[in-house]
Amino acid sequence: MSKFIKALFLAVFFFSVSVFAQEDEFNNTSDKTEIVKDGDEFSEGKDEFSEEGDEFSSGDGFSDEGDEFSEFSDSDEMEEKPATNWNRFNWAISILFFTLLAGIFVRHEKTRKLRPLFLLGAVVILGFYRGGPGIISSFQNTFLFFIGATGKWTAIVLFLGVIVLTYFQGKVFCGWICYLGAVQEFLYIGKAKILQTEKAQKIMRIIRYIILGGLLVQLTISQGIEWSKIGPFKVIFNLYSPNITGYILLVILLISSLFIHRPFCKIACPAGLIFGWVTKLPGAAVLGITTSCAGCKTCNTACNINAITRDKKTSKLDNQECIMCGECMSDCKIKSINPFKKGEEHHGKITLKGIKKLDIK
């Protein structure tokens, strides 16, 4: 069965790549054809029409600008919907599909081993090949959409979709699909043991609150996305930054990723912080333990993201930080840690003290 699942995954994976590659080529050809037609039709008219055609040809689904088209008349409505917006929508749906698939795979020991393939595919396809759409960009577009600063509904599908899947499957997007986290994870050498205590996790979460608050203030005031101008991941995948700040942040990210497991995810990622809030909702998917738990530190040792911390002889699990990588489930010899629905028996935070000393907070 495992060989069949691997073959099915690879078939769907490469089929998706070929489909989107052909679609991108078709969109580029269509854009060029539309420009020529516009030029022929309005060549004897006003110059402003030809300029509009140029603006459309240079835009794509990831651009955060476009307000200049809002003053066009109703007759230009057809030109306000570039094909690349649908291209971004298609990519978002594909990402959500693989997130759903990962949420199923993480619950089974054999398919759990496919996580490195998911991460590698995310880096190659979503990172170097596509360059997006990114989850942070989708989050910012979602906020701008709801405050009425943008009407790009296709840009919010990814973030809202991941929120829904997080409720039913946990933060599996972060652990399996996010190419931002995957880059950091591949760089991690695991030699240094720093920022692993429960107190350290709380401090880093506070920093994320501050960053999130600052980001929301910036979005509200400027009503535009400035993150992309300094984001270190954009520098990695595009090998270019419009300013020196991007290169400085890149160096910091690369060095810190060598010694800290997913430092950006722990300290700066606003999307991951919000997905963590979802796990606090009643009925949300969380990790929990059965009565067979022996209270050992096997799961704590396996958890690189430090969602499970160790205080003296006690392990503590915080589902808000868990990325559903499945490492703890694979390493637990008695299989006492598994996904559950949050409720009276399984909570967001639990203390693992063994069978007779189980303490649920």
Side-chain angles (χ1 to χ4, degrees), residues 63-83:
S63 175
D64 301 314
E65 299 178 356
D67 291 340
E68 65 267 21
F69 301 115
S70 60
E71 59 187 31
F72 282 8
S73 62
D74 295 338
S75 61
D76 295 316
E77 287 184 357
M78 295 301 293
E79 297 183 16
E80 293 182 6
K81 299 179 180 179

Side-chain angles (χ1 to χ4, degrees), residues 12 38 40 54 71 87 110 116 132 148 256 337:
V12 174
D38 289 343
D40 291 341
D54 290 339
E71 59 187 31
N87 191 33
K110 291 184 178 180
S256 60
I337 185 166

Side-chain angles (χ1 to χ4, degrees), residues 139 202-218 227 266-270 273 277:
F139 157 68
K202 291 181 179 179
I203 293 175
M204 288 187 287
R205 189 182 303 168
I206 292 174
I207 296 175
R208 274 186 289 170
Y209 278 120
I210 296 173
I211 292 176
L212 174 61
L215 180 60
L216 295 180
V217 170
Q218 176 266 305
W227 182 287
K266 292 181 177 181
I267 300 175
C269 183
L273 179 64
W277 295 345

Side-chain angles (χ1 to χ4, degrees), residues 26-43:
F26 173 77
N27 289 335
N28 291 333
T29 304
S30 300
D31 290 342
K32 294 178 181 178
T33 303
E34 289 177 1
I35 294 171
V36 173
K37 290 182 178 180
D38 289 343
D40 291 341
E41 184 176 355
F42 300 106
S43 59

Side-chain angles (χ1 to χ4, degrees), residues 257-268:
S257 295
L258 295 174
F259 306 104
I260 304 174
H261 190 267
R262 294 188 174 218
F264 178 83
C265 303
K266 292 181 177 181
I267 300 175

Side-chain angles (χ1 to χ4, degrees), residues 151-165:
K152 297 180 179 179
W153 66 270
T154 55
I156 74 176
V157 172
L158 179 60
F159 180 72
L160 296 182
V162 172
I163 285 181
V164 174
L165 292 178

Side-chain angles (χ1 to χ4, degrees), residues 2-270:
S2 60
K3 291 183 178 180
F4 172 77
I5 294 176
K6 289 181 180 180
L8 177 62
F9 168 76
L10 292 175
V12 174
F13 182 81
F14 287 111
F15 175 76
S16 299
V17 173
S18 62
V19 169
F20 284 116
Q22 292 175 4
E23 183 176 344
D24 288 342
E25 182 178 355
F26 173 77
N27 289 335
N28 291 333
T29 304
S30 300
D31 290 342
K32 294 178 181 178
T33 303
E34 289 177 1
I35 294 171
V36 173
K37 290 182 178 180
D38 289 343
D40 291 341
E41 184 176 355
F42 300 106
S43 59
E44 297 180 359
K46 297 181 180 180
D47 293 337
E48 63 184 59
F49 289 102
S50 59
E51 292 175 358
E52 290 167 7
D54 290 339
E55 289 177 336
F56 279 113
S57 64
S58 60
D60 59 36
F62 301 97
S63 175
D64 301 314
E65 299 178 356
D67 291 340
E68 65 267 21
F69 301 115
S70 60
E71 59 187 31
F72 282 8
S73 62
D74 295 338
S75 61
D76 295 316
E77 287 184 357
M78 295 301 293
E79 297 183 16
E80 293 182 6
K81 299 179 180 179
T84 47
N85 284 340
W86 287 106
N87 191 33
R88 180 168 190 168
F89 173 80
N90 292 335
W91 275 95
I93 294 300
S94 297
I95 293 172
L96 293 175
F97 168 76
F98 279 100
T99 303
L100 176 64
L101 195 63
I104 298 173
F105 283 7
V106 74
R107 284 161 169 75
H108 305 281
E109 186 172 2
K110 291 184 178 180
T111 53
R112 205 177 293 144
K113 298 177 181 178
L114 293 174
R115 192 174 84 96
L117 288 179
F118 274 73
L119 294 177
L120 180 61
V123 171
V124 174
I125 304 301
L126 301 180
F128 289 104
Y129 171 73
R130 186 62 183 173
I135 191 65
I136 299 178
S137 173
S138 183
F139 157 68
Q140 293 178 96
N141 276 293
T142 301
F143 181 80
L144 292 174
F145 181 85
F146 284 108
I147 66 173
T150 179
K152 297 180 179 179
W153 66 270
T154 55
I156 74 176
V157 172
L158 179 60
F159 180 72
L160 296 182
V162 172
I163 285 181
V164 174
L165 292 178
T166 299
Y167 178 82
F168 291 104
Q169 298 183 320
K171 293 171 62 177
V172 67
F173 172 86
C174 298
W176 286 64
I177 305 298
C178 182
Y179 62 94
L180 308 183
V183 169
Q184 302 168 76
E185 191 164 326
F186 286 139
L187 290 172
Y188 180 62
I189 58 179
K191 299 296 182 181
K193 300 295 182 181
I194 57 177
L195 301 177
Q196 295 189 336
T197 64
E198 183 181 8
K199 183 178 180 180
Q201 308 311 308
K202 291 181 179 179
I203 293 175
M204 288 187 287
R205 189 182 303 168
I206 292 174
I207 296 175
R208 274 186 289 170
Y209 278 120
I210 296 173
I211 292 176
L212 174 61
L215 180 60
L216 295 180
V217 170
Q218 176 266 305
L219 290 171
T220 303
I221 296 175
S222 67
Q223 297 193 352
I225 297 178
E226 303 295 331
W227 182 287
S228 60
K229 297 180 180 179
I230 61 173
F233 294 102
K234 185 175 182 179
V235 183
I236 292 177
F237 297 120
N238 295 278
L239 304 178
Y240 170 76
S241 175
N243 51 64
I244 190 64
T245 305
Y247 292 112
I248 294 175
L249 292 177
L250 173 63
V251 173
I252 295 175
L253 174 68
L254 294 178
I255 295 177
S256 60
S257 295
L258 295 174
F259 306 104
I260 304 174
H261 190 267
R262 294 188 174 218
F264 178 83
C265 303
K266 292 181 177 181
I267 300 175
C269 183

